[in-house]
């Protein structure tokens, strides 16, 4: 590289950050040159948000260095980062709806006693300079999402941000607004500012950005100096690419068992009320692992939720063991034999503040009752059995579960779901963020369950894991299953293209 | 660049909790001593009087317990809602609603024998408190309307209803023109235990015990704890959040209503607009200090009761009521700060390292302090 370190607008070096049970960053690097739009790519949980949170002073790193404009920084708070010229535009806007655009922009950074007319004039100048139409006198509650985002950007510019971080900026925008945003960002880059752009929408990344860094499992796995040199599918492949993540031998092929789960014409909306799944048809037989691969945000999460009953489909039918369960509750489905290891193991799968015992009986507490009372001895016994059977190192069973390591949390969760011999297991990102032993343990449990005749829907962002474990691999793109591959090894490039929506005939 | 940050404790040790509590109160007493000294009072004398009036002899103790009884009930009321992450700010109003219905029933059934009438009035109190809570509870569970606002607003409605009853339909014809409601029938007075303490105290203790058991030992309580601590996990486990929110709020209202009935039959002679006397609002502090646990509510209510009795008694030493109020507030504030240190410790943070409160992302008491 021609430039020296001091020339970088942002240099995050060897960032390490650990949360209880999860390693978010394990020595990740990020270099951003001045005057560029830099895409920060990676799957959910790859460490993108943690990296920018370190840069914007929200988190302090456990290890590593933060350099901004050639100076090493030790941010203690977002205010420190703002003072150093780092601005952040969050996905959820942080605006006061009843205040005007100008008032929101200067809030907390008003230059002494200025008359509001003067402020409004200066805000108008600033917005005109970057081609952002924004009436400074309008209250924010009257604005569209796109306009609110402009206010957030203007807020950062008002504070003289030389680095602007944007987290999924187009998620809330209409296509027209997204295109306008692209122009604004380009104008800002031409002005010498740097933009860090986090997005899953690869087509927009290629259209807007100059360079890219790809994170996977808390590490930087690829940097792209010129995005014109790469195509969509190789970017997709880099994001999910090789992790060395398959630790088990592919179990021998089995006779396909009877069909246990079927989705027919399933469509569903996401939390924002936008279409997330469109006409999904799939079946799972007993004793097979069906892998789901795709760039995150293409409907995988919603698929798991529709199958397990946490999300109602807008159309279609879910059949489980020849029974229509489309309307059945998550608990009813579990009783029928449909187990679920959710993507959010803490907060959905497990209640972090409750004890190990309490968490162990989330599925079975109804059968540990005598009259109204919950028989604690039975609960403890049940938990003890789980802990032993699945090798959970749990410490004291009455302590909060949040004290366990990530691998042990997942063993406990998986063990609980498997305790009552389910017919189908839906496992979403079951090995994400785990250490090597944890990954190996979880993968071998999955393989064992398959051998015992459990049908498994495995949703993962680790292509190696999917290739190692799956009997069939389905590729999701924009809420549809766009390709299906058999157990033979399919070239990664072909899968990468399918993930980017380019299916080879 | 080194400065203190609050860091979440990995483990909360009960012994540290107790020590922190005592330390917080001691610091407050020292600061209070300075205040007293500056305002020309002898701190030793004042503190001795406070202590004696609250604890020395059965009579003093009974006054403390008399105060602690409604505090324990309203504290439990707020704590039941709080265990689901909900804030019942309107226990004050629900107390009134409970007392109104209990009074109405007593007027209609004053021929009944004591125990029967008392039992009937207690049930009416619960019904009254729940009735005032139905609106906020449904609005919260079905429309996500903040229960904080609705419960608070209804406090003033309930108090105005009492004022209307006093001057209008329930005005005592034998009151020589004073706007008061006739006293509750004699046989409805709660039997005394000793001094000023009555069996209302046992009702409160019993209810705390029942709730402690229900929350920690029943499937219902398990679901409540699950829904309160991790709503998505509860949904996943098949617990109806809507129903849990509804029951927690209705129970909360019912308990506050019971507090009204206990106050009516125990310490007050009649229903009047001053009957709730701030106990409902004080219950919020009790529940917060007790970390929303029934066991904690009993202890905190007792201490709170003692502080109130003590604060009143020192006025006989010439301490102005303003200073007495400040003193009470400081003691509670000291305890409240101590509660923060139950869950957080100070960490001197230099460059890099350490996780701050901002990262835990939990809306805790300490969240507001930081």
């Amino acid at each position: 590289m021609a430039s020296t370190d001091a020339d970088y607008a942002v240099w995050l070096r060897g960032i390490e950050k650990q949360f209880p049970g999860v390693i978010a960053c394990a020595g990740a690097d990020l270099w951003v040159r001045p005057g560029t739009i830099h895409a920060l790519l990676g799957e959910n949980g790859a460490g993108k948000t943690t990296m920018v949170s370190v840069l914007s002073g929200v988190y302090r790193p456990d290890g590593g260095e933060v350099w901004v404009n050639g100076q090493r920084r030790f941010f203690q708070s977002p205010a420190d980062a703002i003072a150093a010229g780092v601005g952040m535009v969050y996905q959820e806007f942080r605006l006061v709806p009843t205040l005007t655009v100008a008032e929101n922009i200067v809030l907390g950074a008003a230059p002494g006693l200025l008359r509001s007319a003067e402020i409004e004039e200066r805000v108008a100048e600033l917005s005109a300079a970057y081609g952002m139409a924004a009436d400074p006198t309008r209250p924010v509650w009257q604005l569209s999402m796109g306009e609110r985002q402009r206010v957030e950007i203007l807020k950062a510019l008002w504070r003289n941000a030389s680095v602007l971080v944007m987290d999924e900026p187009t998620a809330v925008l209409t296509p027209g607004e997204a295109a306008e945003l692209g122009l604004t960002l380009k104008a800002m880059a031409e002005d010498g500012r740097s933009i860090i752009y986090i997005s899953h929408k690869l087509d927009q990344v290629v259209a807007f950005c100059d360079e890219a860094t790809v994170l996977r499992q808390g590490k930087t796995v690829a940097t792209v100096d010129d995005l014109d040199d790469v195509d969509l599918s190789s970017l997709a492949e880099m994001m999910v690419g090789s992790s060395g993540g398959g630790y088990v031998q592919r179990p021998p092929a089995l006779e396909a068992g009877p069909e246990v789960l079927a989705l027919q014409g399933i469509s569903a909306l996401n939390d924002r009320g936008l279409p997330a799944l469109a006409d999904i048809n799939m079946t799972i037989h007993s004793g097979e692992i069906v892998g789901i691969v795709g760039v995150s945000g293409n409907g995988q999460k919603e698929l798991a939720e529709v199958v397990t009953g946490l999300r109602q489909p807008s159309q279609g039918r879910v059949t489980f063991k020849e029974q229509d369960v489309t309307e059945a509750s998550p608990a009813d489905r579990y009783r029928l034999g449909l187990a679920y290891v959710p993507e959010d193991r803490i907060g959905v799968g497990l209640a972090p503040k409750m004890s190990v015992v309490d968490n162990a009986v989330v599925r079975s507490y109804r059968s540990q009752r005598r009259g109204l009372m919950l028989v604690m001895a039975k609960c403890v016994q049940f938990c003890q059995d789980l802990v032993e059977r699945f090798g959970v190192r749990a410490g004291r069973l009455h302590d909060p579960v949040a004290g366990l390591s990530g691998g042990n949390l997942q063993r406990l969760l998986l063990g609980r779901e498997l305790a009552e011999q389910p017919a189908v297991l839906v496992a979403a990102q079951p090995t994400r963020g785990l250490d090597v032993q944890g990954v190996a343990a979880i993968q071998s449990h999955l393989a064992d369950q398959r051998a015992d005749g459990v049908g498994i829907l495995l949703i993962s962002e680790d292509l190696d894991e999917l290739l190692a474990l799956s009997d069939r691999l389905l590729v999701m793109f924009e809420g549809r299953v766009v390709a299906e591959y058999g157990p033979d090894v399919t070239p990664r490039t072909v899968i990468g293209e399918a993930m980017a929506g380019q299916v080879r005939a | 660049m080194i400065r203190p940050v609050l860091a979440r404790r990995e483990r909360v040790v009960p012994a540290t909790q107790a020590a922190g509590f005592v330390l917080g109160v001691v610091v407050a007493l020292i600061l209070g001593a300075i205040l007293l000294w500056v305002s020309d009072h002898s701190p030793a004398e004042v503190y001795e009087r406070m202590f004696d009036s609250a604890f020395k002899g059965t009579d003093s103790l009974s006054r403390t317990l008399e105060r602690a009884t409604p505090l324990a009930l309203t504290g439990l009321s707020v704590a039941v809602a709080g265990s689901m992450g909900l804030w019942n700010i309107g226990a004050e109003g629900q107390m009134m609603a409970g007392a109104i219905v209990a009074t109405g029933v007593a007027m209609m059934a004053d021929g009944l024998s004591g125990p029967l009438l008392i039992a009937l009035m207690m049930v009416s109190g619960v019904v009254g408190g729940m009735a005032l809570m139905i609106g906020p509870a449904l609005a919260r569970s079905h429309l996500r309307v903040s229960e904080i606002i609705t419960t608070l607003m209804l406090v003033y409605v309930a108090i105005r209803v009492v004022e209307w009853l006093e001057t209008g339909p329930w005005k005592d014809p034998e009151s020589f023109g004073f706007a008061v409601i006739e006293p509750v029938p004699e046989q409805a007075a709660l039997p005394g235990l000793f001094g000023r303490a009555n069996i209302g105290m046992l009702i409160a203790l019993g209810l705390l015990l029942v709730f402690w058991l229900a929350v920690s030992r029943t499937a219902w309580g398990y679901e409540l704890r699950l829904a309160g601590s991790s709503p998505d996990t509860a949904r996943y486990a098949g617990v109806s959040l809507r129903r849990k929110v509804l029951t927690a709020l209705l129970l909360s209202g019912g308990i506050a209503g019971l507090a009204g009935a206990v106050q009516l039959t125990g310490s007050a002679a009649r229903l009047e607009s001053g009957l709730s006397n701030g106990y409902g609002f004080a219950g919020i502090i009790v529940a917060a200090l007790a970390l929303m646990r029934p066991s904690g509510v009993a202890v905190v209510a007792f201490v709170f009761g003692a502080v109130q009795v003590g604060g009143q008694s020192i006025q006989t030493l010439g301490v102005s009521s303003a200073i007495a109020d400040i003193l009470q507030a400081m003691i509670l504030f000291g305890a409240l700060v101590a509660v923060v240190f139950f869950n957080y410790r100070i960490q001197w943070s230099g460059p890099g390292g350490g996780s701050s409160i901002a990262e835990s992302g939990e809306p805790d008491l300490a969240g507001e302090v930081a």
Side-chain angles (χ1 to χ4, degrees), chain A residues 464-482:
Chain A
D464 283 336
E465 173 173 285
L466 288 167
L467 288 171
L469 287 168
S470 312
D471 296 294
R472 284 187 292 141
L473 196 57
L474 308 184
V475 182
M476 286 191 72
F477 178 72
E478 293 189 343
R480 294 173 184 277
V481 173
V482 294

Side-chain angles (χ1 to χ4, degrees), chain A residues 284-357:
Chain A
I284 295 175
H285 297 84
S286 107
E288 78 168 343
I289 297 182
V290 176
I292 301 284
V293 66
V295 175
S296 52
N298 276 293
Q300 297 96 317
K301 187 171 179 229
E302 288 81 4
L303 176 68
E305 290 176 349
V306 165
V307 170
T308 53
L310 285 166
R311 185 178 297 273
Q312 272 300 307
S314 50
Q315 261 172 44
R317 232 162 79 104
V318 183
T319 315
F320 181 62
K321 293 205 278 196
E322 293 170 353
Q323 232 175 309
D324 185 346
V325 295
T326 316
E327 305 278 320
S329 74
D332 287 340
R333 292 185 207 207
Y334 178 80
R335 273 193 283 278
L336 288 171
L338 179 61
Y340 179 32
V341 174
E343 177 175 345
D344 300 311
R345 52 191 88 121
I346 286 191
V348 178
L350 301 167
K353 285 187 191 166
M354 292 177 81
S355 72
V356 179
V357 173

